[in-house]
Structure formats: C-alpha cells, structure tokens
Amino acid sequence: MVRRHELTDAQWRVVEPLLPVNGSPGGQWANHRRVVNGVLYRARTGVPWPDLPERYGPWQTVYERHRRWSADGTWQRILAELQIEADASDPDGALARSAQKGAEWAVNIDSTSCRAHQHAAGARHQPPRLPAKGGGARVEADGREALGRSRGGLTCKVHLLADDRARPLVWQTSPGQRGDNPMLVPVLESLRIRRSGPGRPRIRPDRLRGDKAYSSRDTRAYLRRRHIKATIAQPRDQRERRRRQGRAGGRPPAFDKDQYRHRSAVERCVSKWKQFRAVASRYDKRDYIFNGTLTVAAIAIWLHDTVQEPSETA
C-alpha cells in the first residue's frame, strides 16, 4: 500500500534506474525504495530523524543515506536526469520550447527565506564528513553553513530559477541577510540543462523575469552581454531619478507587462517547495545536507508534474 508522501509505483519505475547499484557482497545497500520513502516522509513532515516511523527501517540508515547522497551529488544527478527525461518526453514543455524555431525559453528568478530552527544551529567548525570518493559540501565564505541574521532572526535564503510550469531548475543558498540582486549572476551561471541526445547543455535562456529587487544597471548590462531579454520591474526611485536627470537619464528599460505576468510561476514554485516542512523551516545544520533536502523536494515536484499515473479503467 502506497501511503501519503511516498513514491507511487509509476514514480518508482522512473527513479529506480537512477539510483546507485548495490556494491560487492558484504556491502549491500538496504532497500532503496524504503529508504527513499523515508527521506521523502521526513522532508514533507519535518519530523526529527529519530521520530521516523518504523516502517522505514532504522532511522540511522535513512539519515546516513540522505547525508551521503547529499554530499556526493546523487540527489542532484537524479534531478538532472529527470529534467532530461522531461525535456525529451514532452516536446511542448518549457525546456523543449527553446529548441523550436521562433520559440522562447523563459526562466523566472526569485528568492525565499527559510527560518532556521534551533536544531539547525551549532554545527561543528571542522569540515563535514564526506564519502571516500568525491563529495560536494560547500560552506559560505561570508556566512558559515549559509546561515545569517536578518529581520526574521536566524535564516537561510534560497535563490532559485523556475520554469513556466513552476518547477525548480537550479538554486543557490546564502545567509538570510544576503540581498537578491548580487546572487542573480551566480544562480544564472549555474543553469545547465543537459540534452537527451548530442549537443551542448542549455545554459542561456532567451528571457529572464524578475521583480524589482533585480533591477540595476549592472544586472541589465550583464543580461545584454549574454543576449538574454530582461523582463524586470523597475522600482519607483529609479524611475524618478531617471526623470530628474532628463535626457541624461537615458531611455527607460523595455518592460513587457504581459511577459511579467508569467513571473508568478516562480512564486508558485516556492509555494510547492514550502509544502515540504523541512524546506519551509530549516532543520539541517550543514548547508550541503539542506541542499540535499531541497533537491529531494524538487525531485518530488518534478515527478508529480511529469509522471502520469495509469488510469484505473486502463
């Protein structure tokens, strides 16, 4: 019986080939499906790891698998493969439209703050434990473990790109006091959607939509250099400053109201993400583990959007 927050049979058939295979005798993995369901249950409910239901097995096994796959990039690789499969199987999808002649691939940028629970504080200063082969833990230079003080207290900020179907593409974490505009370039340059066949990955969208927080001359100049159309609202103070300067203020930046209405996709993406309580409130001490939790929630969003369940009458 499939319970809430767990993978359905159709979703499991998509995810199973993407998971690591068993090792040599004596180093066999525990049941992958049970462990993945335990990670999804914890991400959705936000319960402490020791409070996982017994049906998912020992909580130490579930936690260690999640920690290991967050560190070595397994969750990120699964998400990348889901994006490739969605691109190949849906010719009318938001990703595939960039390959069509005359069509436009647009992405939407925004940020959201995640209040850090008291369990997220107190991480040790020494480097985190990583698997023997590889590892991708990242610690913020100006805010250890991407935690910082803002008006809301101890918070972590997630800067993300979403497509027009309200699905997360890429994101970066930062301390809560970090502004939105300085993170636009790092987030946009991390965009890398691989193709199902030969060809270079898609790294340059045709259009970027953002709110007033991303309106600056440097940002617009950067987007022009990369030949990316900008649909970014301009705050009132910038409009008034340009009017006061007269002809020296230059022309106002182009702004398409109809295009800007589609920016709500990133807000709907954040709403989907924060249905997972381990995302809405950060419980993870380490930044790389929290990024793993974000990736697990993103995988669930992509599976829900792309995997069609067989009808009961079929």
Side-chain angles (χ1 to χ4, degrees):
M1 181 181 66
V2 177
R3 296 179 172 87
R4 291 187 62 197
H5 320 314
E6 296 183 354
L7 295 176
T8 63
D9 292 338
Q11 292 173 344
W12 174 246
R13 285 193 292 270
V14 174
V15 173
E16 185 178 16
L18 308 177
L19 296 173
V21 297
N22 280 331
S24 58
Q28 299 292 320
W29 294 95
N31 185 283
H32 270 330
R33 185 170 186 177
R34 183 179 66 182
V35 172
V36 172
N37 283 334
V39 174
L40 285 171
Y41 179 89
R42 183 263 175 180
R44 190 61 184 256
T45 61
V47 299
W49 289 104
D51 293 344
L52 279 176
E54 295 181 357
R55 63 178 178 268
Y56 300 120
W59 71 266
Q60 296 92 337
T61 300
V62 183
Y63 165 74
E64 181 59 25
R65 192 81 55 85
H66 176 58
R67 187 201 68 80
R68 179 181 292 268
W69 287 357
S70 299
D72 63 14
T74 299
W75 292 126
Q76 287 75 13
R77 287 192 292 270
I78 293 173
L79 177 61
E81 292 295 330
L82 291 178
Q83 292 174 344
I84 295 172
E85 293 179 8
D87 188 14
S89 61
D90 184 9
D92 297 326
L95 296 179
R97 283 204 297 270
S98 63
Q100 300 174 4
K101 185 177 180 180
E104 186 177 75
W105 178 32
V107 296
N108 310 278
I109 189 169
D110 203 354
S111 69
T112 181
S113 294
C114 303
R115 181 69 181 271
H117 192 268
Q118 58 184 355
H119 292 169
R124 296 180 179 180
H125 287 266
Q126 59 262 34
R129 295 181 296 114
L130 298 177
K133 296 182 179 180
R138 179 177 57 86
V139 179
E140 292 289 331
D142 58 345
R144 197 169 62 87
E145 304 299 345
L147 290 173
R149 294 285 177 181
S150 65
R151 292 183 179 180
L154 192 64
T155 55
C156 173
K157 185 174 283 189
V158 183
H159 309 262
L160 75 148
L161 286 177
D163 64 7
D164 285 346
R165 294 178 62 169
R167 301 176 298 191
L169 296 174
V170 294
W171 61 87
Q172 295 280 342
T173 54
S174 72
Q177 74 274 14
R178 175 73 69 84
D180 291 352
N181 190 59
M183 293 296 295
L184 182 143
V185 174
V187 173
L188 195 57
E189 291 186 347
S190 66
L191 180 62
R192 187 180 181 87
I193 305 298
R194 293 191 291 121
R195 301 175 188 265
S196 57
R200 296 179 179 179
R202 296 174 186 154
I203 60 175
R204 185 183 62 83
D206 300 308
R207 182 181 297 273
L208 176 72
R209 308 187 189 101
D211 59 16
K212 298 177 181 179
Y214 300 96
S215 178
S216 71
R217 289 189 176 183
D218 292 341
T219 294
R220 296 181 188 275
Y222 167 80
L223 295 175
R224 282 195 299 270
R225 287 195 302 270
R226 294 196 61 188
H227 304 285
I228 300 174
K229 299 176 184 177
T231 302
I232 300 176
Q234 194 176 31
R236 180 182 300 177
D237 61 335
Q238 293 183 9
R239 296 197 303 267
E240 293 177 350
R241 187 183 308 114
R242 190 187 65 253
R243 294 192 187 101
R244 288 195 303 266
Q245 292 175 351
R247 297 179 61 181
R251 296 180 180 179
F255 181 71
D256 190 333
K257 290 185 179 180
D258 293 334
Q259 282 287 340
Y260 191 71
R261 292 190 180 97
H262 296 288
R263 194 195 65 84
S264 62
V266 68
E267 297 177 352
R268 288 184 278 117
C269 177
V270 170
S271 297
K272 291 180 182 180
W273 230 350
K274 288 200 169 182
Q275 291 179 11
F276 294 81
R277 295 190 176 186
V279 173
S281 296
R282 173 173 167 173
Y283 301 99
D284 300 309
K285 296 180 185 295
R286 295 293 187 186
D287 181 35
Y288 77 97
I289 298 181
F290 182 59
N291 270 279
T293 302
L294 291 169
T295 309
V296 168
I299 290 172
I301 293 173
W302 276 82
L303 286 173
H304 180 76
D305 184 81
T306 58
V307 178
Q308 301 295 328
E309 298 295 333
S311 60
E312 297 179 0
T313 58

